[in-house]
Every structure is written in structure tokens, then in C-alpha cells.
Amino acid sequence: MLKDSFYPPQRTLMGPGPSDIHPRVLQALSRPTIGHLDPCFIGMMDEVKQLLKYAFVTENEVTLAVSAPGSAGMEACFVNLIEPGEKVIVCINGVFGQRMAENVIRCGGQLINVEDEWCQPVSLEKLQATLEQHPDTTAVACVHAETSTGVKSDIEAICQIAKQHDCLTIVDTVTSLGGIPLYVDRWDIDAVYSGSQKCLSCVPGLSPVSFSSNAVDKIKSRKTKVQSWFLDQTLVMEYWGNKAARTYHHTAPVNALYALHEALLMLKKEGLEQAWQRHAMMHNRLYQGLTDLGIKFLVDEQHRLPQLNLIAIPEGIDDVAFRNHLLRHYNLEVGAAIGGLAGKAWRIGLMGYAAKAENVALCLKAFEETLNMMRQ
Amino acid sequence: MLKDSFYPPQRTLMGPGPSDIHPRVLQALSRPTIGHLDPCFIGMMDEVKQLLKYAFVTENEVTLAVSAPGSAGMEACFVNLIEPGEKVIVCINGVFGQRMAENVIRCGGQLINVEDEWCQPVSLEKLQATLEQHPDTTAVACVHAETSTGVKSDIEAICQIAKQHDCLTIVDTVTSLGGIPLYVDRWDIDAVYSGSQKCLSCVPGLSPVSFSSNAVDKIKSRKTKVQSWFLDQTLVMEYWGNKAARTYHHTAPVNALYALHEALLMLKKEGLEQAWQRHAMMHNRLYQGLTDLGIKFLVDEQHRLPQLNLIAIPEGIDDVAFRNHLLRHYNLEVGAAIGGLAGKAWRIGLMGYAAKAENVALCLKAFEETLNMMRQ
């Protein structure tokens, strides 16, 4: 022990992320490391910025990848945009809405929750009513694609309501970016964060973010210092900003950014709309096949995410034993459910490179065989 | 543009980090991604923990890698250990001491600086006097190897003084871990952070940290919530802790951890003492060769780091033109100086895999030829 290199098994990743990664992206990842202030690297960072603008459908100048996972991207949005005492509405319909609320508390914000049932989208009526009750709200935060349930909320409508009340909008797109339609500028999103390891099919560890000019104005006019030095966007902007005047802030995760660059190139080559369509098509195949096996989808069709499918564990089937069997005998990972759904449901991801016919076929056959075996 | 994969040039990295990476580590990095809750991955995380204990020479149970660069590791130490209003002494003799002070302010701590000249180590007498003046100090923070100057401070003595005054000790070992003697337990360090991309020769993006049982007690008995959700060690400990009861916190940077595992295996195989000796030997060669070229080292021998060499820019030589020439004609990166030393000095790194005879030879010959050319 503690002498041998680690050779991971070759899994098919159909959980809630990380998702399967294309060999091109893994190759890019392992190219020789260069200095983070090397002119060649600065040029590549600039391309990553352009490619992220494409993926987010935004012209926002401040579009970059936070050098840490999605949870840090979430925190970057809150610590920069919320000052102590400010009133923030968080729409909660799953684990990641709860995490947003936790962030508001830790920034010293005044938290107002708009709560909906898990497996339901954010209610526009409740949001509207809460905003009328709290006219001094400064920001509205919500999750586009709730990774804990596979529910999609109507971000366009939510932002429209928030804007009517002069609020900044903060949106979690960790599981949506690259998988379903998302238009940052058109929908009036002020701060958005995502993750590298979901529908972008890049390695985990980076969080793409984008800030509107409204958000940047808010950050620049803060009365208090951002509580996190590492996530302070006034400093990070100078690092990712003007090529000529690059200011050292931290050491960027050089190789992970090679991988993100490659994953984004592949998305651009396929085309964003085409990628959205592919996710929808693969979801339809999965839905048809699992329904044929008698498995129930827990989210209504109109709010269902194609890239993350919450299904009920069939009666009499042991959650852990079933997932372990898939992992051991088919090298197939599907996700456990979390929070109140733990033990009652599974989450099947069809994200990025994993959203393909061979994965759906493997999943359907493995489910069929394993269910039959366990029912004998 | 925005169609081509990024192929970085093959550099020799002799700046302040990232350092050259062994091909074995890059290979490990690009192995197939598996789920961060996969039993195989959890086993590997456990090995990373054991290997980090070896590198830090500690038995601390809470020893792990923060899923972000060294600056986030620094912030993890401060936001967890310092509560608002607590008095903290920070010893400042360069950029990273300044950054620690910035962290204390952002945690709401009461900051007391002990300042020394750049290029000088932390003064034990000043620290002693300051502690006597401020007996209610709760923590003392300092940098072992100041990356901005190449100065080593006497951490053993600093911690001894701090302990006589019942203070927790927080130490930056970003540039020291793996390069010079460091004994976390023997020296009574309560919280220590480092970086993956310096003397460990791993890719940038991870920050090894370790917390003593004193530090863990302090964290567990906090009256206020840790201001950062992402860096809250009460949550992170559950993620890296007990294998049987792994609790989801964030998605670990799976592939970067493969690389860290491999880099630490290589360190263990070489042996920690042997790695320290190699850094010292390569420094001696570099020192001899550059001195022969008439180049002056700016740090006194007794405080000089072997792995980071601060040298004066020879009179009449243009800083940027010289470094650009090395990069363009020899693919050799050496570091600019920062802060008050910018434009006056260079920083030559001999870190981890880069601390080898062929790199020293290349550096010496490239310096000789370039200086001769520029003096013509």
C-alpha cells in the first residue's frame, strides 16, 4: 500500500456529475504545464473567455472560470454581490437552493425564502407575492436546473419579475449550461455560475461565471470589502482582464483550463442548439426505455430536465445493492438521490459527452437485467 | 481563431511556480474520470491523506487537499480559525505575509502586524515584544518560505514563542513543502497550508492543508458560522473523513487528485530527506554558476531558500527583454520579482522535478549567452 499508482476503473458516468469526458479533453488536460503568466497561456485564457461567452450566450465582459468547483462559483456570486444587511430572496426547491440560502446567511444578508415542493419548479406567483411584501429586496437568486431533483425552473419569467422590482438576479446553471436552452443576456441574468463537470463534460474543479455590467457596477460600488480574498472579483477581474496589464492574483489551474478550452471548442463545433437537441433526444430514448420497464419518472414532463432524470426506485429493490451491482458488473455509475429523496429515487445523468445512444442502451439493458435478477 | 486546440510550448519552468511536472504525473492526470463518491475514488482520497501526512511529517487526522489553489488554502485556515474580533499577529516580510494580513481583516479579526524588511526573515525579538504588548492575541501567522523574496523564516522558533503565549499557529508552506525541512507536529504548527504546484511538482489547483487537534477543537467550538461555506472545515472534514460515512459537500477535482497522488508517491519513493538534499545540492550548483557570472544573490546565505533564488538584475540589463529572450530562445521561464522588488530582481525556482542538473545547466548557459549578447 502507498506504493502503487492509481489506475481508475473505466466507468460510464451517468450520475449527477462528473460526466463522461471525451478522450480529446483528457489529452488536452495532460499537455505540459506552462507558467500562468506565460504569454501563450494568457492568450489561451482569452479564448476560454470568448468560448464561455458563446456557451452562456452573453456579451458580458466579465466572463471567466473561477479556479475552483461550482460551490465556489456560487459563493463568488454571493460574496461579491451581497453586502451585510441587504435583503435577498432565494427560491428553494431542492438542495442547491438551500445552499444558496446558506450563502446569503454567511454573507450577512437578510434572507427571505420562497419555498416550493421538491420535484416542483419555482412558483412565479409566490415569488411575485414575496417581492410585493418585501419591496426593499436587492437580489433574487434561483436555480435553473436543480441537480437534486432534475427540475427546470422558468428563469426567463423569474428574472422578468425580479427586474420589475429592480432586483439583481443570481442564477445557478451548474447542471443546465450546455444541456438546455440558457440565454444569459436575453433573460436578464446579472450573475450566473456553472460547473465544468456536467454538460460541458470537462474535468471537475472549475466554475464558469459571468457578471452583467449591472453586477459589475454593484461590485465596484460596494461599501464593504468582499469577505473572501480568493473570490474577490475586483481582484480576479484584473487577473482575467486586460491582456496587457495582467495582475497576479492566484495561480490559475493551468491544465484544467487546457481541458475546459478543449471541451468548449467541442461544444462550439457541435453548436449550442445541436447540443441542446442531442440532450433532448437522448432523454426521450431513456424515458421510453425506462417507462417500458415500468419505471416511474418523478418530475412532470413540462419541468423535467433531459440531462438529469429522477426516477422512483421500484418497490422491493434495494437502493444501494442495485447501484453497487451496476457499478461492479457494468462499470456504470448512476446517482443516488439526496436530501429528502435519499433511498427513494435515483438520478440518471445524460450530460454532455455522456448523452449518447450507446450510454442509453447500456443503461437500459443493465437496468433490465439487474431488475430481473433482483426480482427472482 | 477559436477553432484550434491549444498546444502549449514545452517550457522549462524555473520561475516561482508552477514548476516542471514529471510525465508520470501528467499521465496520472489524464486517466479516466470516475465519480467523486465512487468507492475506488474514496480509497484513493484516503491514500492522498496518508501521503500528505508523510509530506507534512504529521499525525494530524485532518490532513487533506483543499479543492482550489494555495490562496484558498490560506483562506481556509483563516476563516476557520479566526472569529470576528479576535486578535491575530501576522508576521510580514513579503507579499504572502501581506496577503495573510488581508485575510485577517476580511475575517473581521483584529490585525497586529510584525513587519520586517523584505529579504529578511521574521524577527523573533519583534514577535516576542509584540506578544508581550498584546497578551490577548489568539493566533500568530507567518510564512515559512516567502515566495516573493526567497527568504526562509525560523518556524520552529516562531511557533515556540507563540505557544509560550498560548497562541494558535498558522503557517504558509506553499513554497517550502517538499523543498526544505518542515516538521508540522514537531514544530507545533496548528494550521498549515501549501500548494500543489511548487516543490510537489503537481499541477496547480490544489492546496494541501493540515489542522492539529488544537485547531480542530477551536473550529468545533466556534461561536459564529465560518463565513465561507465552500471552505468550512466542519463540512469538508465530513467529506474527507470517515470512509464509511462520506458526506457530499462539493465535487472534488477528481483528475487533479490523481496527479497529486502520483506526485506524492514519487516524493515518498525518493524520500523526504533525499528530496530536501537534492534541492540544496542543485541550489549550490546554481549559486556557484551564477556567482561566477557576477550575479548577486539578494538574500543572506543563512536565510536563503534553495528552491527560490532572488538575484539582482545586472546593471544595464532590461528585465522584460531578458526574460522574453530566455522564453523565446530557450523555452526557459524564470520569474519576475513582485511588489517593491519588481524590475530590480529575478526569481529562479528550483522546485520539485525542476531541481535537477540539466535544468541548472540550461539556466546557467542561457544566462551566460544572453548576458553576453545584451552587453554587446
Side-chain angles (χ1 to χ4, degrees):
Chain A
M1 198 215 169
L2 293 186
K3 285 195 308 194
D4 297 335
S5 294
F6 178 66
Y7 290 95
Q10 176 77 56
R11 305 290 198 205
T12 297
L13 300 178
M14 298 179 73
S19 58
D20 276 348
I21 296 176
H22 195 284
R24 261 181 70 178
V25 174
L26 290 173
Q27 276 165 23
L29 180 67
S30 67
R31 292 191 184 125
T33 306
I34 60 176
H36 68 118
L37 298 172
D38 192 308
C40 295
F41 186 69
I42 292 176
M44 195 219 60
M45 279 171 92
D46 207 55
E47 290 190 12
V48 168
K49 230 168 116 163
Q50 300 306 318
L51 290 163
L52 284 176
K53 284 185 184 180
Y54 171 76
F56 277 127
V57 197
T58 181
E59 293 302 319
N60 286 341
E61 197 37 51
V62 181
T63 301
L64 50 88
V66 170
S67 303
S71 317
M74 178 191 288
E75 194 159 318
C77 291
F78 285 94
V79 297
N80 281 280
L81 288 178
I82 309 303
E83 292 202 76
E86 287 182 351
K87 200 175 264 188
V88 182
I89 291 179
V90 178
C91 304
I92 302 176
N93 61 338
V95 165
F96 294 90
Q98 289 174 336
R99 189 172 294 184
M100 283 180 143
E102 190 58 44
N103 267 274
V104 172
I105 293 168
R106 295 187 191 222
C107 299
Q110 198 183 330
L111 172 67
I112 311 289
N113 291 334
V114 171
E115 293 189 65
D116 280 289
E117 296 287 313
W118 283 40
C119 303
Q120 292 298 323
V122 170
S123 148
L124 303 178
E125 294 68 30
K126 282 191 205 169
L127 172 63
Q128 178 81 46
T130 310
L131 275 163
E132 277 159 20
Q133 219 183 318
H134 298 280
D136 54 339
T137 301
T138 62
V140 171
C142 58
V143 178
H144 187 199
E146 206 9 289
T147 318
S148 59
T149 59
V151 165
K152 176 177 65 183
S153 286
D154 185 349
I155 296 302
E156 187 173 16
I158 290 170
C159 290
Q160 208 176 358
I161 295 169
K163 286 293 160 190
Q164 282 161 3
H165 293 80
D166 289 326
C167 290
L168 284 170
T169 53
I170 301 175
V171 180
D172 177 323
T173 64
V174 169
T175 289
S176 60
L177 182 65
I180 51 170
L182 163 67
Y183 298 96
V184 168
D185 288 1
R186 199 185 303 166
W187 292 354
D188 238 334
I189 304 176
D190 289 307
V192 63
Y193 58 89
S194 189
S196 46
Q197 82 283 12
K198 308 271 183 182
C199 297
L200 298 181
S201 274
C202 178
V203 288
L206 293 172
S207 178
V209 295
S210 184
F211 294 96
S212 73
S213 57
N214 271 342
V216 173
D217 289 347
K218 168 82 198 248
I219 296 171
K220 287 189 172 163
S221 63
R222 286 177 64 99
K223 288 170 206 78
T224 55
K225 270 194 185 183
V226 174
Q227 68 190 29
S228 166
W229 184 90
F230 174 59
L231 298 173
D232 185 338
Q233 294 302 302
T234 58
L235 306 172
V236 174
M237 281 188 257
E238 296 299 309
Y239 185 55
W240 274 82
N242 194 319
K243 273 206 266 188
R246 181 76 31 141
T247 314
Y248 166 61
H249 177 253
H250 65 281
T251 304
V254 174
N255 293 67
L257 285 163
Y258 295 166
L260 182 60
H261 183 270
E262 193 72 15
L264 290 168
L265 278 184
M266 291 182 72
L267 176 65
K268 186 151 189 271
K269 194 176 175 209
E270 178 177 14
L272 201 48
E273 287 79 8
Q274 286 74 13
W276 298 338
Q277 280 166 20
R278 177 170 49 81
H279 282 87
M281 275 172 51
M282 292 304 141
H283 163 75
N284 290 341
R285 283 185 187 225
L286 184 78
Y287 176 77
Q288 194 55 57
L290 287 178
T291 305
D292 289 349
L293 293 176
I295 287 176
K296 207 181 143 221
F297 280 65
L298 294 174
V299 175
D300 285 346
E301 192 182 346
Q302 63 180 131
H303 310 302
R304 196 183 295 153
L305 291 170
Q307 68 271 45
L308 190 65
N309 298 275
L310 187 76
I311 56 174
I313 299 177
E315 230 180 277
I317 299 295
D318 184 83
D319 174 18
V320 176
F322 184 88
R323 285 187 292 107
N324 282 347
H325 188 85
L326 293 188
L327 201 62
R328 283 194 199 128
H329 295 271
Y330 301 89
N331 268 306
L332 172 63
E333 179 178 272
V334 299
I338 51 177
L341 292 164
K344 297 176 196 156
W346 293 315
R347 291 179 295 164
I348 303 185
L350 282 171
M351 298 180 179
Y353 180 58
K356 55 184 176 187
E358 52 267 51
N359 280 18
V360 175
L362 165 66
C363 179
L364 291 176
K365 198 65 187 167
F367 263 64
E368 182 189 335
E369 291 177 355
T370 308
L371 287 175
N372 284 343
M373 184 205 71
M374 292 195 166
R375 277 166 177 159
Q376 271 169 0
Chain B
M1 198 215 171
L2 293 188
K3 285 195 308 191
D4 298 334
S5 294
F6 179 65
Y7 290 95
Q10 175 77 56
R11 306 291 200 204
T12 297
L13 300 178
M14 299 179 73
S19 59
D20 277 348
I21 295 177
H22 195 286
R24 261 181 69 177
V25 174
L26 290 174
Q27 276 166 22
L29 180 67
S30 66
R31 292 192 184 123
T33 306
I34 59 175
H36 68 118
L37 298 173
D38 193 307
C40 295
F41 187 69
I42 291 176
M44 196 219 61
M45 278 171 93
D46 207 55
E47 289 191 13
V48 168
K49 228 167 118 164
Q50 300 306 320
L51 290 162
L52 284 175
K53 284 185 182 181
Y54 170 77
F56 276 128
V57 196
T58 182
E59 294 300 320
N60 286 340
E61 199 37 52
V62 182
T63 301
L64 50 87
V66 170
S67 303
S71 316
M74 178 190 287
E75 196 159 316
C77 290
F78 285 94
V79 296
N80 282 280
L81 288 177
I82 310 303
E83 292 201 76
E86 288 182 350
K87 200 174 262 188
V88 182
I89 291 180
V90 177
C91 305
I92 302 176
N93 62 337
V95 165
F96 294 90
Q98 289 173 337
R99 188 171 296 185
M100 283 181 143
E102 190 58 45
N103 267 275
V104 172
I105 293 168
R106 295 187 189 221
C107 300
Q110 198 184 331
L111 173 68
I112 311 289
N113 291 334
V114 171
E115 292 190 64
D116 280 289
E117 296 287 312
W118 284 39
C119 302
Q120 292 298 323
V122 170
S123 150
L124 303 177
E125 296 70 29
K126 280 191 208 169
L127 172 62
Q128 178 81 48
T130 310
L131 275 163
E132 279 159 18
Q133 223 182 316
H134 298 280
D136 54 339
T137 302
T138 61
V140 171
C142 58
V143 178
H144 187 198
E146 221 342 310
T147 318
S148 59
T149 60
V151 166
K152 175 178 65 187
S153 285
D154 185 349
I155 296 302
E156 187 173 16
I158 290 169
C159 290
Q160 208 175 1
I161 295 169
K163 286 294 162 189
Q164 283 161 3
H165 292 80
D166 289 326
C167 290
L168 285 170
T169 52
I170 301 174
V171 181
D172 177 324
T173 64
V174 169
T175 290
S176 60
L177 182 66
I180 52 170
L182 163 67
Y183 298 95
V184 168
D185 287 1
R186 199 184 303 167
W187 292 354
D188 240 334
I189 304 176
D190 290 308
V192 63
Y193 59 90
S194 189
S196 48
Q197 81 284 12
K198 308 272 183 179
C199 296
L200 299 181
S201 276
C202 179
V203 287
L206 293 171
S207 178
V209 295
S210 185
F211 295 96
S212 72
S213 56
N214 271 341
V216 173
D217 289 347
K218 170 80 198 250
I219 295 171
K220 288 189 173 164
S221 63
R222 286 178 65 101
K223 288 170 207 76
T224 55
K225 271 195 183 180
V226 173
Q227 68 190 30
S228 166
W229 185 90
F230 174 59
L231 298 173
D232 185 339
Q233 293 302 301
T234 59
L235 305 173
V236 174
M237 280 187 258
E238 296 299 309
Y239 186 56
W240 275 81
N242 194 319
K243 273 205 265 186
R246 181 78 29 140
T247 316
Y248 166 61
H249 177 252
H250 65 282
T251 304
V254 174
N255 293 66
L257 284 164
Y258 296 166
L260 182 61
H261 183 269
E262 192 72 15
L264 289 169
L265 278 183
M266 292 183 72
L267 176 65
K268 185 149 188 271
K269 194 175 176 208
E270 178 178 16
L272 202 48
E273 289 79 7
Q274 285 74 12
W276 297 339
Q277 279 165 22
R278 177 170 49 81
H279 282 89
M281 275 172 50
M282 291 303 141
H283 163 75
N284 289 342
R285 281 185 190 225
L286 183 78
Y287 176 78
Q288 195 56 57
L290 288 178
T291 305
D292 289 348
L293 292 176
I295 286 175
K296 209 179 141 222
F297 280 65
L298 294 174
V299 175
D300 286 347
E301 192 181 345
Q302 62 180 132
H303 311 301
R304 196 183 296 152
L305 291 171
Q307 68 271 46
L308 190 65
N309 298 275
L310 187 76
I311 56 174
I313 298 176
E315 230 181 275
I317 299 296
D318 183 85
D319 174 17
V320 176
F322 183 87
R323 285 186 293 108
N324 282 347
H325 188 84
L326 293 188
L327 202 62
R328 282 193 200 132
H329 296 271
Y330 301 89
N331 269 306
L332 173 63
E333 178 176 271
V334 299
I338 51 177
L341 292 162
K344 297 175 194 156
W346 293 316
R347 291 180 296 163
I348 303 185
L350 281 170
M351 297 180 179
Y353 181 58
K356 55 185 176 186
E358 51 269 50
N359 280 17
V360 175
L362 165 65
C363 180
L364 291 176
K365 198 64 188 170
F367 263 65
E368 184 190 334
E369 290 177 357
T370 308
L371 286 174
N372 285 343
M373 184 206 70
M374 291 196 166
R375 277 167 177 155
Q376 268 169 6

